[in-house]
Amino acid sequence: MAPKVNRKRYNLADVHAQFAEAVGGEEVEFDAEGGTYTFPHPVFAEEEWATKVDAAENAAEKGRALLGDEQYEKYRAAGNSDNDLGLLFMAVQQDSQGQIRKRPTR
């Protein structure tokens, strides 16, 4: 079998690091009333987390899926909005798509 011309070989650790750098890390961190909150970056999220987020049927369910019970309770107790959390999630997804297109290849 003849060797492929212009064959590119990827190193998974390098690709992972490039994507993490392009999107700003493996976690999303944001400030709101009551403190700083985090959730997994959608590009790096575990399947179970992503399934819960995708299955959410309203803003409150999505908020709880994004943050987990403990952070969500703190977030809501501080007077923060489920809708704002949904907007943040959409912004993260849109920003990621733009940044991934600019990902360095080396």
Side-chain angles (χ1 to χ4, degrees):
M1 181 178 262
K4 291 184 179 181
V5 177
N6 295 327
R7 180 176 164 190
K8 182 170 184 168
R9 186 179 196 119
Y10 290 92
N11 177 294
L12 289 180
D14 291 345
V15 171
H16 186 101
Q18 290 167 0
F19 273 90
E21 183 177 339
V23 300
E26 293 183 31
E27 283 193 334
V28 174
E29 183 176 272
F30 67 99
D31 296 318
E33 292 298 322
T36 300
Y37 305 87
T38 62
F39 58 86
H41 195 287
V43 171
F44 296 102
E46 296 291 329
E47 187 174 341
E48 180 181 347
W49 180 89
T51 299
K52 286 180 184 177
V53 171
D54 291 344
E57 294 185 8
N58 58 48
E61 286 181 11
K62 186 164 292 261
R64 190 172 295 280
L66 286 169
L67 296 178
D69 291 333
E70 186 177 321
Q71 280 194 109
Y72 180 74
E73 293 301 328
K74 179 182 172 187
Y75 175 84
R76 290 297 289 145
N80 296 301
S81 161
D82 289 323
N83 289 332
D84 287 344
L85 194 51
L87 292 172
L88 171 64
F89 187 65
M90 286 191 307
V92 167
Q93 290 176 310
Q94 289 176 352
D95 289 349
S96 296
Q97 290 172 357
Q99 292 304 319
I100 287 171
R101 286 187 192 103
K102 300 175 191 173
R103 177 184 66 87
T105 56
R106 297 259 181 227

